[in-house]
Amino acid sequence: MAEPVLEVQGLTRRFGDFTAVSDLSFDIQPGEIFGFLGPNGAGKSTTIRMLCGVLTPSAGTARALGRDLFTEADLLRSRMGYMSQKSSLLTDLTVAENLRFFGGLYGLEGQRLASEVSFRLHEMQVWDQRDALVAELSTGERQRVALAAATLHRPEILFLDEPTSGVDPLRRRLFWEAMDELVAEGMSILVTTHNLGEADQCDRLAFILGGRLMAYGRPRTLKEALGRQVLELRADRFRDLQLAARRQPEVLAAELLGRSVRISLSASLAPEALLARLRAEGHTFEALPAEQPSLEDLFVDLVQHARTA
Ligand SMILES: Nc1ncnc2c1ncn2[C@@H]1O[C@H](COP(=O)(O)OP(=O)(O)OP(=O)(O)O)[C@@H](O)[C@H]1O
Ligand SMILES: [Mg+2]
């Protein structure tokens, strides 16, 4: 792998005697879209806020673009961009006025400012809204304007905290296309999301729970590492089938999905062996082809595991 653009070691943040982020270590490779996944309160925003210099860490180190992120923050600020979870746009200014304002904060002025604003307005597909007040925009438009504002100075590392929350699937896709363009420009992106479809599109993921890193890697590797198979059985007597499946020791979970039973099966038992056992008990059903577990399976698994631990 190349030299990471960001390398975090043992990052920790305490609020009084509560530890919001605990001993977090990960790195981000050049040109990567790196996803942060975890339930509410997991510590995602707190981590991002420390990396953006908004919040002081209690412990840990971080290097970004070859410099110490915490002691050389002033040298790095202009090379990083941040879109916070709560939009920082000024709602009583127009879209273009907002971008000129934020560009000014980054030190852009004159012709350079005008051309960067125009470039981003087009790229984020909000050119037609340039003279509208931010207060009048839809959520999807507003989020794309916020992304434009965070990237006017062409940062090399971009932190996006839940940029697509409340955005419909079509506009969400538009937002991800814009992120792909930013990566093509040479940016590396850390993005938090609650959307598992989005998480699946990330190059790598960190799954955080209670401030700790629970799983880390490529989405596909993480799903494979779950070591289980997912089966869907269609049956008229689906409730009986669900109970029968739950009695099998290798069945990790059996949930109803319409008139089907969705079974999560340990890798220690072949699916055919399970089907044979259920048939031997007198159950009739139609088995759909086995699937790979989804990120949702991973998510549920980790949360349940943490609860019982
Ligand atoms: N300034 C603060 N003072 C005290 N506790 C805080 C502070 N900021 C965050 N916390 C706590 O730290 C924990 C992590 O919060 P954080 O906002 O990082 O979670 P998150 O993963 O971003 O959640 P969400 O998905 O809801 O945005 C929460 O329990 C929160 O209440
Ligand atoms: Mg958050």
Side-chain angles (χ1 to χ4, degrees):
M1 279 195 190
E3 176 93 351
V5 290
L6 177 72
E7 198 170 5
V8 176
Q9 282 287 341
L11 192 63
T12 300
R13 171 68 204 209
R14 287 180 282 271
F15 295 108
D17 41 12
F18 172 71
T19 305
V21 173
S22 179
D23 197 22
L24 219 58
S25 301
F26 62 92
D27 61 59
I28 298 182
Q29 299 292 321
E32 197 167 41
I33 298 185
F34 188 92
F36 250 36
L37 201 60
N40 295 128
K44 304 179 298 292
S45 296
T46 306
T47 301
I48 289 193
R49 293 175 67 220
M50 288 190 277
L51 297 175
C52 294
V54 185
L55 193 68
T56 314
S58 308
T61 58
R63 288 190 72 74
L65 306 166
R67 294 189 181 276
D68 186 310
L69 185 58
F70 299 131
T71 62
E72 300 180 287
D74 289 344
L75 295 170
L76 285 167
R77 199 146 291 147
S78 65
R79 301 174 69 185
M80 305 201 304
Y82 173 39
M83 181 174 157
S84 71
Q85 190 168 353
K86 294 234 160 61
S87 169
S88 44
L89 297 174
L90 306 164
T91 50
D92 51 352
L93 295 186
T94 69
V95 168
E97 284 166 346
N98 263 278
L99 295 190
R100 285 196 288 270
F101 172 75
F102 283 101
L105 292 185
Y106 295 127
L108 302 178
E109 50 186 26
Q111 192 48 47
R112 169 93 200 280
L113 175 60
S115 73
E116 291 297 337
V117 167
S118 154
F119 175 71
R120 292 292 174 213
L121 284 171
H122 283 104
E123 184 185 46
M124 298 302 157
Q125 303 188 37
V126 284
W127 173 256
D128 292 340
Q129 285 78 24
R130 64 191 178 281
D131 293 324
L133 291 178
V134 163
E136 295 164 354
L137 300 181
S138 71
T139 308
E141 289 165 346
R142 200 183 288 212
Q143 298 299 73
R144 294 203 303 282
V145 173
L147 185 58
T151 52
L152 283 168
H153 59 308
R154 299 188 181 247
E156 290 157 77
I157 307 178
L158 188 57
F159 298 95
L160 306 177
D161 199 355
E162 282 190 45
T164 57
S165 74
V167 177
D168 73 50
L170 218 65
R171 304 316 187 299
R172 203 182 285 148
R173 191 177 297 167
L174 211 56
F175 193 96
W176 274 71
E177 283 170 10
M179 278 170 56
D180 286 335
E181 290 192 31
L182 296 173
V183 167
E185 277 177 39
M187 291 183 205
S188 309
I189 300 179
L190 189 160
V191 57
T192 71
T193 179
H194 285 289
N195 183 285
L196 298 168
E198 287 187 347
D200 238 331
Q201 290 179 52
C202 293
D203 295 304
R204 284 188 305 151
L205 288 174
F207 187 95
I208 301 173
L209 194 64
R212 293 176 185 279
L213 189 69
M214 307 297 284
Y216 172 47
R218 297 190 176 281
R220 193 186 157 150
T221 318
L222 290 175
K223 288 183 276 188
E224 283 171 1
L226 270 180
R228 53 155 80 173
Q229 318 147 73
V230 175
L231 306 175
E232 198 179 319
L233 308 184
R234 236 178 244 160
D236 289 333
R237 303 184 55 192
F238 49 89
R239 286 195 190 281
D240 292 342
L241 184 62
Q242 179 189 29
L243 294 176
R246 283 185 171 167
R247 281 194 294 270
Q248 306 296 323
E250 295 88 352
V251 168
L252 304 168
E255 306 301 336
L256 294 181
L257 197 79
R259 305 181 70 79
S260 298
V261 186
R262 189 172 187 276
I263 296 174
S264 180
L265 179 66
S266 155
S268 65
L269 186 71
E272 299 71 36
L274 175 73
L275 303 187
R277 275 193 212 163
L278 293 170
R279 286 199 183 100
E281 286 184 21
H283 294 281
T284 53
F285 48 80
E286 180 200 347
L288 303 182
E291 288 171 31
Q292 244 214 349
S294 64
L295 280 180
E296 189 172 335
D297 294 310
L298 174 70
F299 195 99
V300 171
D301 212 63
L302 287 170
V303 173
Q304 272 174 355
H305 196 263
R307 268 202 201 117
T308 52

